[in-house]
PDB file of all heavy atoms in Angstrom:
ATOM      1  N   LYS A  67      38.173  64.867 -49.086  1.00 88.00           N
ATOM      2  CA  LYS A  67      39.389  65.661 -49.344  1.00 88.00           C
ATOM      3  C   LYS A  67      40.447  64.822 -50.047  1.00 88.00           C
ATOM      4  O   LYS A  67      41.106  65.286 -50.983  1.00 88.00           O
ATOM      5  CB  LYS A  67      39.957  66.209 -48.028  1.00 88.00           C
ATOM      6  CG  LYS A  67      39.175  67.361 -47.449  1.00 88.00           C
ATOM      7  CD  LYS A  67      39.808  67.823 -46.145  1.00 88.00           C
ATOM      8  CE  LYS A  67      38.934  68.838 -45.423  1.00 88.00           C
ATOM      9  NZ  LYS A  67      39.494  69.194 -44.114  1.00 88.00           N
ATOM     10  N   PHE A  68      40.615  63.565 -49.593  1.00 87.00           N
ATOM     11  CA  PHE A  68      41.589  62.676 -50.232  1.00 87.00           C
ATOM     12  C   PHE A  68      41.207  62.402 -51.683  1.00 87.00           C
ATOM     13  O   PHE A  68      42.062  62.344 -52.564  1.00 87.00           O
ATOM     14  CB  PHE A  68      41.720  61.360 -49.466  1.00 87.00           C
ATOM     15  CG  PHE A  68      42.632  61.454 -48.278  1.00 87.00           C
ATOM     16  CD1 PHE A  68      42.143  61.246 -47.000  1.00 87.00           C
ATOM     17  CD2 PHE A  68      43.978  61.740 -48.430  1.00 87.00           C
ATOM     18  CE1 PHE A  68      42.978  61.339 -45.897  1.00 87.00           C
ATOM     19  CE2 PHE A  68      44.819  61.838 -47.340  1.00 87.00           C
ATOM     20  CZ  PHE A  68      44.313  61.635 -46.061  1.00 87.00           C
ATOM     21  N   LYS A  69      39.890  62.240 -51.919  1.00 87.00           N
ATOM     22  CA  LYS A  69      39.443  62.026 -53.302  1.00 87.00           C
ATOM     23  C   LYS A  69      39.778  63.233 -54.169  1.00 87.00           C
ATOM     24  O   LYS A  69      40.218  63.088 -55.309  1.00 87.00           O
ATOM     25  CB  LYS A  69      37.935  61.747 -53.323  1.00 87.00           C
ATOM     26  CG  LYS A  69      37.576  60.361 -52.834  1.00 87.00           C
ATOM     27  CD  LYS A  69      36.069  60.131 -52.879  1.00 87.00           C
ATOM     28  CE  LYS A  69      35.720  58.746 -52.368  1.00 87.00           C
ATOM     29  NZ  LYS A  69      34.268  58.535 -52.285  1.00 87.00           N
ATOM     30  N   GLU A  70      39.570  64.440 -53.608  1.00 86.00           N
ATOM     31  CA  GLU A  70      39.913  65.661 -54.344  1.00 86.00           C
ATOM     32  C   GLU A  70      41.416  65.710 -54.622  1.00 86.00           C
ATOM     33  O   GLU A  70      41.836  66.082 -55.719  1.00 86.00           O
ATOM     34  CB  GLU A  70      39.498  66.894 -53.548  1.00 86.00           C
ATOM     35  CG  GLU A  70      38.012  67.149 -53.519  1.00 86.00           C
ATOM     36  CD  GLU A  70      37.616  68.291 -52.605  1.00 86.00           C
ATOM     37  OE1 GLU A  70      38.493  69.106 -52.251  1.00 86.00           O
ATOM     38  OE2 GLU A  70      36.426  68.365 -52.258  1.00 86.00           O
ATOM     39  N   CYS A  71      42.213  65.306 -53.635  1.00 84.00           N
ATOM     40  CA  CYS A  71      43.678  65.294 -53.831  1.00 84.00           C
ATOM     41  C   CYS A  71      44.047  64.347 -54.967  1.00 84.00           C
ATOM     42  O   CYS A  71      44.913  64.666 -55.784  1.00 84.00           O
ATOM     43  CB  CYS A  71      44.385  64.860 -52.545  1.00 84.00           C
ATOM     44  SG  CYS A  71      44.443  66.138 -51.296  1.00 84.00           S
ATOM     45  N   ASN A  72      43.418  63.178 -54.997  1.00 84.00           N
ATOM     46  CA  ASN A  72      43.703  62.231 -56.076  1.00 84.00           C
ATOM     47  C   ASN A  72      43.338  62.823 -57.425  1.00 84.00           C
ATOM     48  O   ASN A  72      44.071  62.652 -58.402  1.00 84.00           O
ATOM     49  CB  ASN A  72      42.940  60.914 -55.855  1.00 84.00           C
ATOM     50  CG  ASN A  72      43.612  60.039 -54.812  1.00 84.00           C
ATOM     51  OD1 ASN A  72      44.790  60.222 -54.519  1.00 84.00           O
ATOM     52  ND2 ASN A  72      42.886  59.104 -54.253  1.00 84.00           N
ATOM     53  N   CYS A  73      42.201  63.539 -57.479  1.00 83.00           N
ATOM     54  CA  CYS A  73      41.809  64.190 -58.737  1.00 83.00           C
ATOM     55  C   CYS A  73      42.855  65.217 -59.137  1.00 83.00           C
ATOM     56  O   CYS A  73      43.224  65.321 -60.313  1.00 83.00           O
ATOM     57  CB  CYS A  73      40.447  64.852 -58.594  1.00 83.00           C
ATOM     58  SG  CYS A  73      39.092  63.682 -58.491  1.00 83.00           S
ATOM     59  N   ILE A  74      43.337  65.995 -58.159  1.00 83.00           N
ATOM     60  CA  ILE A  74      44.346  67.016 -58.450  1.00 83.00           C
ATOM     61  C   ILE A  74      45.624  66.361 -58.962  1.00 83.00           C
ATOM     62  O   ILE A  74      46.249  66.845 -59.914  1.00 83.00           O
ATOM     63  CB  ILE A  74      44.614  67.881 -57.199  1.00 83.00           C
ATOM     64  CG1 ILE A  74      43.392  68.769 -56.919  1.00 83.00           C
ATOM     65  CG2 ILE A  74      45.870  68.733 -57.368  1.00 83.00           C
ATOM     66  CD1 ILE A  74      43.439  69.491 -55.588  1.00 83.00           C
ATOM     67  N   LEU A  75      46.018  65.227 -58.346  1.00 83.00           N
ATOM     68  CA  LEU A  75      47.219  64.516 -58.803  1.00 83.00           C
ATOM     69  C   LEU A  75      47.030  64.020 -60.230  1.00 83.00           C
ATOM     70  O   LEU A  75      47.945  64.091 -61.056  1.00 83.00           O
ATOM     71  CB  LEU A  75      47.532  63.338 -57.872  1.00 83.00           C
ATOM     72  CG  LEU A  75      48.067  63.700 -56.486  1.00 83.00           C
ATOM     73  CD1 LEU A  75      48.216  62.452 -55.629  1.00 83.00           C
ATOM     74  CD2 LEU A  75      49.397  64.422 -56.596  1.00 83.00           C
ATOM     75  N   ASP A  76      45.825  63.511 -60.542  1.00 86.00           N
ATOM     76  CA  ASP A  76      45.541  63.051 -61.900  1.00 86.00           C
ATOM     77  C   ASP A  76      45.634  64.212 -62.886  1.00 86.00           C
ATOM     78  O   ASP A  76      46.204  64.080 -63.976  1.00 86.00           O
ATOM     79  CB  ASP A  76      44.146  62.414 -61.974  1.00 86.00           C
ATOM     80  CG  ASP A  76      44.088  61.065 -61.247  1.00 86.00           C
ATOM     81  OD1 ASP A  76      45.169  60.514 -60.954  1.00 86.00           O
ATOM     82  OD2 ASP A  76      42.972  60.597 -60.983  1.00 86.00           O
ATOM     83  N   ILE A  77      45.077  65.359 -62.499  1.00 86.00           N
ATOM     84  CA  ILE A  77      45.129  66.545 -63.370  1.00 86.00           C
ATOM     85  C   ILE A  77      46.578  66.990 -63.556  1.00 86.00           C
ATOM     86  O   ILE A  77      47.000  67.351 -64.661  1.00 86.00           O
ATOM     87  CB  ILE A  77      44.266  67.689 -62.775  1.00 86.00           C
ATOM     88  CG1 ILE A  77      42.789  67.307 -62.881  1.00 86.00           C
ATOM     89  CG2 ILE A  77      44.533  69.004 -63.475  1.00 86.00           C
ATOM     90  CD1 ILE A  77      41.847  68.241 -62.140  1.00 86.00           C
ATOM     91  N   ASP A  78      47.356  66.938 -62.475  1.00 85.00           N
ATOM     92  CA  ASP A  78      48.767  67.317 -62.542  1.00 85.00           C
ATOM     93  C   ASP A  78      49.515  66.414 -63.520  1.00 85.00           C
ATOM     94  O   ASP A  78      50.303  66.890 -64.345  1.00 85.00           O
ATOM     95  CB  ASP A  78      49.373  67.228 -61.139  1.00 85.00           C
ATOM     96  CG  ASP A  78      50.669  68.002 -61.016  1.00 85.00           C
ATOM     97  OD1 ASP A  78      50.757  69.091 -61.620  1.00 85.00           O
ATOM     98  OD2 ASP A  78      51.586  67.519 -60.328  1.00 85.00           O
ATOM     99  N   ALA A  79      49.256  65.105 -63.428  1.00 88.00           N
ATOM    100  CA  ALA A  79      49.895  64.158 -64.348  1.00 88.00           C
ATOM    101  C   ALA A  79      49.476  64.457 -65.787  1.00 88.00           C
ATOM    102  O   ALA A  79      50.291  64.393 -66.716  1.00 88.00           O
ATOM    103  CB  ALA A  79      49.523  62.725 -63.964  1.00 88.00           C
ATOM    104  N   LEU A  80      48.211  64.808 -65.974  1.00 89.00           N
ATOM    105  CA  LEU A  80      47.700  65.122 -67.309  1.00 89.00           C
ATOM    106  C   LEU A  80      48.403  66.352 -67.871  1.00 89.00           C
ATOM    107  O   LEU A  80      48.805  66.376 -69.047  1.00 89.00           O
ATOM    108  CB  LEU A  80      46.195  65.371 -67.203  1.00 89.00           C
ATOM    109  CG  LEU A  80      45.385  65.205 -68.469  1.00 89.00           C
ATOM    110  CD1 LEU A  80      45.292  63.724 -68.828  1.00 89.00           C
ATOM    111  CD2 LEU A  80      43.988  65.771 -68.274  1.00 89.00           C
ATOM    112  N   PHE A  81      48.603  67.379 -67.026  1.00 90.00           N
ATOM    113  CA  PHE A  81      49.279  68.587 -67.492  1.00 90.00           C
ATOM    114  C   PHE A  81      50.740  68.312 -67.854  1.00 90.00           C
ATOM    115  O   PHE A  81      51.243  68.842 -68.854  1.00 90.00           O
ATOM    116  CB  PHE A  81      49.205  69.697 -66.434  1.00 90.00           C
ATOM    117  CG  PHE A  81      47.958  70.519 -66.515  1.00 90.00           C
ATOM    118  CD1 PHE A  81      47.073  70.555 -65.449  1.00 90.00           C
ATOM    119  CD2 PHE A  81      47.667  71.255 -67.645  1.00 90.00           C
ATOM    120  CE1 PHE A  81      45.917  71.315 -65.523  1.00 90.00           C
ATOM    121  CE2 PHE A  81      46.509  72.016 -67.727  1.00 90.00           C
ATOM    122  CZ  PHE A  81      45.629  72.049 -66.655  1.00 90.00           C
ATOM    123  N   SER A  82      51.411  67.492 -67.037  1.00 91.00           N
ATOM    124  CA  SER A  82      52.821  67.210 -67.359  1.00 91.00           C
ATOM    125  C   SER A  82      52.914  66.395 -68.651  1.00 91.00           C
ATOM    126  O   SER A  82      53.824  66.599 -69.456  1.00 91.00           O
ATOM    127  CB  SER A  82      53.515  66.499 -66.204  1.00 91.00           C
ATOM    128  OG  SER A  82      52.989  65.212 -66.024  1.00 91.00           O
ATOM    129  N   GLU A  83      51.938  65.504 -68.866  1.00 93.00           N
ATOM    130  CA  GLU A  83      51.918  64.742 -70.114  1.00 93.00           C
ATOM    131  C   GLU A  83      51.644  65.678 -71.301  1.00 93.00           C
ATOM    132  O   GLU A  83      52.280  65.566 -72.358  1.00 93.00           O
ATOM    133  CB  GLU A  83      50.829  63.663 -70.038  1.00 93.00           C
ATOM    134  CG  GLU A  83      50.961  62.594 -71.093  1.00 93.00           C
ATOM    135  CD  GLU A  83      49.949  61.475 -70.884  1.00 93.00           C
ATOM    136  OE1 GLU A  83      49.345  61.389 -69.817  1.00 93.00           O
ATOM    137  OE2 GLU A  83      49.772  60.690 -71.834  1.00 93.00           O
ATOM    138  N   ALA A  84      50.709  66.612 -71.110  1.00 94.00           N
ATOM    139  CA  ALA A  84      50.401  67.577 -72.177  1.00 94.00           C
ATOM    140  C   ALA A  84      51.634  68.423 -72.495  1.00 94.00           C
ATOM    141  O   ALA A  84      51.923  68.708 -73.667  1.00 94.00           O
ATOM    142  CB  ALA A  84      49.240  68.462 -71.749  1.00 94.00           C
ATOM    143  N   LYS A  85      52.376  68.818 -71.468  1.00 94.00           N
ATOM    144  CA  LYS A  85      53.596  69.615 -71.679  1.00 94.00           C
ATOM    145  C   LYS A  85      54.616  68.810 -72.476  1.00 94.00           C
ATOM    146  O   LYS A  85      55.261  69.339 -73.392  1.00 94.00           O
ATOM    147  CB  LYS A  85      54.174  70.026 -70.318  1.00 94.00           C
ATOM    148  CG  LYS A  85      55.339  70.973 -70.407  1.00 94.00           C
ATOM    149  CD  LYS A  85      55.806  71.399 -69.035  1.00 94.00           C
ATOM    150  CE  LYS A  85      56.989  72.340 -69.156  1.00 94.00           C
ATOM    151  NZ  LYS A  85      57.482  72.765 -67.852  1.00 94.00           N
ATOM    152  N   HIS A  86      54.755  67.532 -72.143  1.00 94.00           N
ATOM    153  CA  HIS A  86      55.692  66.653 -72.847  1.00 94.00           C
ATOM    154  C   HIS A  86      55.337  66.585 -74.338  1.00 94.00           C
ATOM    155  O   HIS A  86      56.205  66.745 -75.210  1.00 94.00           O
ATOM    156  CB  HIS A  86      55.650  65.258 -72.206  1.00 94.00           C
ATOM    157  CG  HIS A  86      56.397  64.212 -72.959  1.00 94.00           C
ATOM    158  ND1 HIS A  86      57.774  64.157 -72.996  1.00 94.00           N
ATOM    159  CD2 HIS A  86      55.948  63.171 -73.715  1.00 94.00           C
ATOM    160  CE1 HIS A  86      58.137  63.133 -73.739  1.00 94.00           C
ATOM    161  NE2 HIS A  86      57.058  62.520 -74.191  1.00 94.00           N
ATOM    162  N   TYR A  87      54.036  66.376 -74.638  1.00 96.00           N
ATOM    163  CA  TYR A  87      53.622  66.277 -76.040  1.00 96.00           C
ATOM    164  C   TYR A  87      53.702  67.640 -76.744  1.00 96.00           C
ATOM    165  O   TYR A  87      53.990  67.710 -77.945  1.00 96.00           O
ATOM    166  CB  TYR A  87      52.215  65.678 -76.141  1.00 96.00           C
ATOM    167  CG  TYR A  87      52.230  64.181 -75.928  1.00 96.00           C
ATOM    168  CD1 TYR A  87      51.640  63.612 -74.803  1.00 96.00           C
ATOM    169  CD2 TYR A  87      52.876  63.337 -76.823  1.00 96.00           C
ATOM    170  CE1 TYR A  87      51.685  62.239 -74.587  1.00 96.00           C
ATOM    171  CE2 TYR A  87      52.917  61.969 -76.618  1.00 96.00           C
ATOM    172  CZ  TYR A  87      52.316  61.426 -75.503  1.00 96.00           C
ATOM    173  OH  TYR A  87      52.371  60.065 -75.298  1.00 96.00           O
ATOM    174  N   HIS A  88      53.479  68.707 -76.012  1.00 96.00           N
ATOM    175  CA  HIS A  88      53.638  70.038 -76.606  1.00 96.00           C
ATOM    176  C   HIS A  88      55.086  70.261 -77.034  1.00 96.00           C
ATOM    177  O   HIS A  88      55.350  70.788 -78.125  1.00 96.00           O
ATOM    178  CB  HIS A  88      53.198  71.123 -75.602  1.00 96.00           C
ATOM    179  CG  HIS A  88      53.382  72.509 -76.106  1.00 96.00           C
ATOM    180  ND1 HIS A  88      54.487  73.270 -75.792  1.00 96.00           N
ATOM    181  CD2 HIS A  88      52.623  73.274 -76.938  1.00 96.00           C
ATOM    182  CE1 HIS A  88      54.398  74.439 -76.387  1.00 96.00           C
ATOM    183  NE2 HIS A  88      53.252  74.469 -77.085  1.00 96.00           N
ATOM    184  N   ASN A  89      56.026  69.860 -76.176  1.00 96.00           N
ATOM    185  CA  ASN A  89      57.449  69.984 -76.523  1.00 96.00           C
ATOM    186  C   ASN A  89      57.779  69.162 -77.767  1.00 96.00           C
ATOM    187  O   ASN A  89      58.543  69.606 -78.632  1.00 96.00           O
ATOM    188  CB  ASN A  89      58.330  69.548 -75.346  1.00 96.00           C
ATOM    189  CG  ASN A  89      58.320  70.564 -74.222  1.00 96.00           C
ATOM    190  OD1 ASN A  89      58.008  71.729 -74.434  1.00 96.00           O
ATOM    191  ND2 ASN A  89      58.654  70.113 -73.020  1.00 96.00           N
ATOM    192  N   LYS A  90      57.203  67.967 -77.866  1.00 96.00           N
ATOM    193  CA  LYS A  90      57.432  67.136 -79.059  1.00 96.00           C
ATOM    194  C   LYS A  90      56.923  67.840 -80.307  1.00 96.00           C
ATOM    195  O   LYS A  90      57.587  67.846 -81.351  1.00 96.00           O
ATOM    196  CB  LYS A  90      56.723  65.783 -78.917  1.00 96.00           C
ATOM    197  CG  LYS A  90      57.490  64.748 -78.143  1.00 96.00           C
ATOM    198  CD  LYS A  90      56.815  63.397 -78.279  1.00 96.00           C
ATOM    199  CE  LYS A  90      57.751  62.303 -77.821  1.00 96.00           C
ATOM    200  NZ  LYS A  90      57.228  60.970 -78.110  1.00 96.00           N
ATOM    201  N   LEU A  91      55.719  68.440 -80.196  1.00 96.00           N
ATOM    202  CA  LEU A  91      55.155  69.154 -81.342  1.00 96.00           C
ATOM    203  C   LEU A  91      56.019  70.343 -81.751  1.00 96.00           C
ATOM    204  O   LEU A  91      56.233  70.601 -82.942  1.00 96.00           O
ATOM    205  CB  LEU A  91      53.732  69.630 -81.016  1.00 96.00           C
ATOM    206  CG  LEU A  91      52.646  68.572 -81.058  1.00 96.00           C
ATOM    207  CD1 LEU A  91      51.333  69.141 -80.521  1.00 96.00           C
ATOM    208  CD2 LEU A  91      52.441  68.070 -82.482  1.00 96.00           C
ATOM    209  N   VAL A  92      56.526  71.079 -80.741  1.00 96.00           N
ATOM    210  CA  VAL A  92      57.402  72.215 -81.041  1.00 96.00           C
ATOM    211  C   VAL A  92      58.648  71.726 -81.765  1.00 96.00           C
ATOM    212  O   VAL A  92      59.089  72.337 -82.761  1.00 96.00           O
ATOM    213  CB  VAL A  92      57.763  72.975 -79.739  1.00 96.00           C
ATOM    214  CG1 VAL A  92      58.907  73.957 -79.966  1.00 96.00           C
ATOM    215  CG2 VAL A  92      56.538  73.687 -79.190  1.00 96.00           C
ATOM    216  N   ASN A  93      59.246  70.633 -81.337  1.00 96.00           N
ATOM    217  CA  ASN A  93      60.444  70.082 -81.991  1.00 96.00           C
ATOM    218  C   ASN A  93      60.135  69.645 -83.423  1.00 96.00           C
ATOM    219  O   ASN A  93      60.925  69.894 -84.339  1.00 96.00           O
ATOM    220  CB  ASN A  93      60.988  68.895 -81.191  1.00 96.00           C
ATOM    221  CG  ASN A  93      61.638  69.335 -79.888  1.00 96.00           C
ATOM    222  OD1 ASN A  93      62.021  70.487 -79.737  1.00 96.00           O
ATOM    223  ND2 ASN A  93      61.750  68.411 -78.941  1.00 96.00           N
TER     224      ASN A  93
END
Side-chain angles (χ1 to χ4, degrees):
K67 285 180 189 175
F68 278 117
K69 286 180 181 175
E70 287 174 18
C71 284
N72 282 341
C73 289
I74 290 170
L75 288 175
D76 289 345
I77 290 171
D78 198 38
L80 202 72
F81 274 119
S82 67
E83 196 174 346
K85 186 177 179 181
H86 171 73
Y87 283 113
H88 177 263
N89 287 339
K90 277 190 165 188
L91 283 172
V92 167
N93 288 340

